Amino acid sequence: MIIRKLFKFENAHIVRGCSTIKCRSSVHGHSYKVELLFESNFLDNGQMVYDFGLMKQNMKDLVESFDHAIALWSGDNVAYLKDMKKHSARWVELPVSPSAEQFSRVIFVMIDRLLGLTSKVNGEKEVKLHSVIVHETDTGYAQCFAEDAYSKEMGEINLFDIIFSEQIMKDFKDERLWQKVLDEEEFVNPASV
């Protein structure tokens, strides 16, 4: 069975190297919709694959870390990166260009790691991240599966190369959330949310 949780955020970026002149040469924004799809052949004690309320914890914080932020590619012009960080309290630096395709891969890798580090306490079994869909516009989206997320041909996504601004980390419910993910610390789902 597959379940889906939808998140939304507003984000600005430049996608260098793309065909569209406006997109590759000007900072612009989108109202993103992100769908996290989970799968399992089992149901928990509440007869659910995974309680949607649990997704409103750390998963929500990670996805919404991009909200009202600028997404930066670490391979962009050094002066541009410095200026964007200087003039925006909320920024995320990525090891890949912030296209919808790469956003779906980045979010997949982040959520997959978090899910793998999370101990379930309500009978959840073999819950896996099926895919991540990132809607950049009403008419266009990218869908990422595990083989895409970890594809070397599409550019390696090392979690240690994802850098969140100080303000974003302060806005997490747990300011150490990202460091815990990087350190592979265990997360324990609450019994009640």
Side-chain angles (χ1 to χ4, degrees):
M1 179 174 286
I2 295 176
I3 62 170
R4 164 196 167 260
K5 179 66 177 168
L6 177 69
F7 296 96
K8 299 177 181 180
F9 63 82
E10 308 295 326
N11 187 273
H13 68 173
I14 288 180
V15 182
R16 303 290 188 200
C18 71
S19 299
T20 306
I21 296 169
K22 287 192 277 185
C23 294
R24 71 177 184 232
S25 60
S26 298
V27 175
H28 61 284
H30 297 282
S31 296
Y32 288 90
K33 293 178 187 169
V34 174
E35 299 179 57
L36 303 182
L37 290 88
F38 298 90
E39 65 179 313
S40 180
N41 292 321
F42 301 93
L43 299 178
D44 67 9
N45 296 337
Q47 299 188 14
M48 302 173 179
V49 168
Y50 199 78
D51 193 313
F52 290 128
L54 296 173
M55 295 178 205
K56 295 178 184 176
Q57 311 299 310
N58 297 320
M59 287 183 192
K60 180 179 180 181
D61 270 358
L62 286 182
V63 174
E64 291 185 354
S65 63
F66 296 98
D67 188 41
H68 284 76
I70 185 160
L72 304 167
W73 172 40
S74 60
D76 210 323
N77 178 281
V78 174
Y80 167 74
L81 294 174
K82 185 177 176 183
D83 282 344
M84 291 299 103
K85 291 176 181 179
K86 178 181 174 184
H87 295 288
S88 181
R90 292 182 57 83
W91 52 265
V92 182
E93 185 173 323
L94 304 172
V96 291
S97 184
S99 63
E101 291 84 350
Q102 294 290 30
F103 257 141
S104 69
R105 294 180 68 235
V106 166
I107 293 169
F108 189 105
V109 171
M110 291 186 340
I111 298 300
D112 193 39
R113 169 71 69 91
L114 178 63
L115 185 65
L117 294 172
T118 302
S119 293
K120 289 83 171 172
V121 298
N122 196 32
E124 303 90 346
K125 287 193 286 187
E126 298 181 24
V127 177
K128 294 183 283 194
L129 184 58
H130 172 271
S131 61
V132 172
I133 300 173
V134 172
H135 298 261
E136 191 172 79
T137 65
D138 285 341
T139 60
Y141 72 82
Q143 184 168 11
C144 175
F145 298 90
E147 59 269 20
D148 306 314
Y150 300 104
S151 168
K152 301 274 192 241
E153 291 78 19
M154 293 185 191
E156 185 175 356
I157 297 174
N158 183 331
L159 291 175
F160 288 91
D161 294 333
I162 299 171
I163 303 168
F164 294 105
S165 70
E166 187 177 318
Q167 185 61 55
I168 287 175
M169 291 190 292
K170 284 182 180 177
D171 290 343
F172 289 148
K173 289 181 192 86
D174 176 354
E175 286 188 33
R176 291 199 61 249
L177 171 62
W178 188 238
Q179 193 58 52
K180 288 178 178 179
V181 169
L182 295 178
D183 292 343
E184 298 187 46
E185 291 185 27
E186 180 185 21
F187 292 85
V188 179
N189 275 345
S192 297
V193 288

